[in-house]
């Protein structure tokens, strides 16, 4: 029973070797021993203990994939070649002992490349965010300055209007005396009509002054509110900008090797 199993296993292994030889080439299938894969020579151009730039990381990631395919094929050839040797088990154990560090090296290079690409993408995102916040802060500062200029212009107009009103009030008594002197020569009826017209004009002037004063106060309150909101937005955007700069300047977390 044991002899039958050994014969069956030998026939199966012989078929596996024949099929592998046919698919991987005629040179080593004809008896040429494959070159042993040295784990120390796999992807030795890349140092996973040091950070990679974007271009190097992209090249390393592609190289890791190619190296994985090539080493898998080479190790398969070595395992198949082991069945042509006397000490098959020792040969297979040697291949297995080299396969693990080879795979570990390919995985390490690929992981390091991916991590470098992720860190580069995160840094680029932080830089874009910082630029956006800088532009927003500049726009807020410009808006606040414009609102302040509008408020100053409005206050200057109000001051000029108040000055003109005071001048009119100062000159009003003299004008009234002149009007009375002119109306003294007129007849009593026209004098009464003139008095009524003057009283009506005075009331209208007082009403217009009251309305203008109320509108002035409303407009002044509105502009002051706009200026305060603009200053608050500018301070908020400045805080966000400083926070983004601190995150950008903070050291990147240590990468595991």
């Amino acid at each position: 029973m044991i002899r039958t199993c050994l014969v069956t296993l030998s026939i199966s292994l012989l078929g596996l070797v024949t099929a592998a030889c046919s698919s991987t080439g005629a040179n080593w299938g004809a008896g040429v021993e494959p070159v042993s894969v040295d784990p120390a020579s796999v992807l030795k151009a890349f140092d996973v203990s040091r950070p990679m730039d974007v271009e190097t990381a992209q090249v390393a990631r592609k190289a890791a994939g190619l190296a994985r395919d090539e080493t898998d094929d080479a190790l398969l050839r070595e395992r198949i070649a082991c069945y042509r040797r006397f000490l098959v088990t020792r040969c297979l154990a040697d291949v297995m002992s080299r396969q693990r560090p080879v795979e570990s090296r390919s995985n390490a290079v690929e992981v390091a490349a991916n991590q470098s690409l992720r860190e580069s993408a995160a840094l680029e995102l932080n830089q874009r965010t910082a630029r956006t916040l800088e532009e927003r802060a500049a726009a807020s500062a410009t808006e606040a300055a414009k609102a302040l200029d509008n408020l100053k212009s409005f206050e200057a107009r109000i001051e000029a209007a108040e000055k003109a009103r005071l001048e009119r009030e100062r000159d009003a008594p003299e004008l009234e005396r002149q009007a009375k002197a002119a109306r003294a020569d007129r007849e009593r009826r026209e004098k009464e009509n003139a008095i009524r017209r003057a009283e009506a004009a005075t009331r209208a002037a007082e009403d217009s002054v009251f309305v203008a004063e109320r509108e002035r106060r409303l407009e002044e309150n509105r502009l002051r509110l706009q200026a305060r909101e603009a200053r608050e937005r500018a301070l908020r955007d400045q805080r966000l900008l400083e926070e983004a700069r601190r995150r950008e300047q903070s050291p990147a977390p240590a990468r595991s090797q």
Side-chain angles (χ1 to χ4, degrees):
M1 181 67 177
I2 296 175
R3 181 177 299 177
T4 303
C5 293
L6 291 176
V7 172
T8 303
L9 178 61
S10 300
I11 295 173
S12 300
L13 292 177
L14 180 60
L16 176 62
V17 171
T18 303
C21 291
S22 301
S23 61
T24 54
N27 291 331
W28 63 272
V32 177
E33 290 293 329
V35 179
S36 298
V37 178
D38 183 8
S41 64
V42 176
L43 299 172
K44 63 180 180 180
F46 302 100
D47 185 3
V48 298
S49 63
R50 300 176 59 184
M52 303 179 186
D53 54 33
V54 176
E55 183 177 358
T56 302
Q58 292 175 347
V59 173
R61 185 167 62 180
K62 294 180 180 179
L66 294 175
R68 185 180 292 108
D69 294 339
E70 292 177 356
T71 53
D72 287 346
D73 183 66
L75 291 171
L76 175 61
R77 295 181 183 184
E78 289 190 47
R79 286 195 298 270
I80 294 173
C82 287
Y83 293 102
R84 297 197 301 268
R85 299 178 182 177
F86 179 73
L87 300 175
V88 177
T89 303
R90 181 179 298 179
C91 179
L92 291 175
D94 176 65
V95 174
M96 182 62 68
S97 66
R98 285 182 287 111
Q99 182 175 2
R100 292 178 180 177
V102 166
E103 292 177 350
S104 176
R105 174 61 180 172
S106 299
N107 293 336
V109 171
E110 187 174 35
V111 168
N114 290 333
Q115 183 172 354
S116 296
L117 292 175
R118 286 194 299 269
E119 291 175 353
S120 177
L123 178 60
E124 184 179 358
L125 177 60
N126 289 337
Q127 291 174 348
R128 288 200 304 269
T129 303
R131 287 194 297 269
T132 301
L133 292 176
E134 288 178 355
E135 294 173 357
R136 186 182 300 173
S140 298
T142 301
E143 184 178 355
K146 184 178 179 180
L148 183 60
D149 291 340
N150 292 337
L151 178 60
K152 291 180 178 179
S153 299
F154 177 76
E155 291 176 348
R157 292 195 301 271
I158 294 301
E159 184 178 358
E162 183 67 17
K163 183 178 179 181
R165 186 183 66 81
L166 293 175
E167 290 178 354
R168 289 194 301 270
E169 291 180 354
R170 183 191 61 191
D171 296 338
E174 180 63 24
L175 295 174
E176 186 65 22
R177 285 192 299 271
Q178 292 176 3
K180 288 181 180 180
R183 290 193 299 270
D185 295 336
R186 299 177 183 175
E187 297 178 354
R188 180 176 177 278
R189 183 176 56 83
E190 293 181 357
K191 184 184 298 184
E192 292 176 352
N193 292 335
I195 292 174
R196 287 194 295 269
R197 287 194 299 270
E199 292 175 352
T202 301
R203 288 195 299 270
E206 290 175 353
D207 292 340
S208 63
V209 170
F210 174 79
V211 173
E213 179 66 14
R214 184 181 63 182
E215 292 178 353
R216 179 189 69 80
R217 291 179 180 178
L218 291 176
E219 181 66 11
E220 183 178 5
N221 291 336
R222 186 180 65 81
L223 291 177
R224 289 182 184 277
L225 180 60
Q226 288 182 353
R228 185 181 65 184
E229 291 177 350
R231 288 194 299 271
E232 291 176 353
R233 286 196 300 272
L235 291 175
R236 183 172 64 253
D237 292 339
Q238 182 65 29
R239 288 195 298 269
L240 291 175
L241 174 60
E242 292 175 356
E243 181 66 21
R245 287 177 175 172
R246 285 196 297 270
R247 290 198 302 269
E248 182 179 1
Q249 294 175 359
S250 62
R255 176 163 47 82
S256 60
Q257 298 182 0

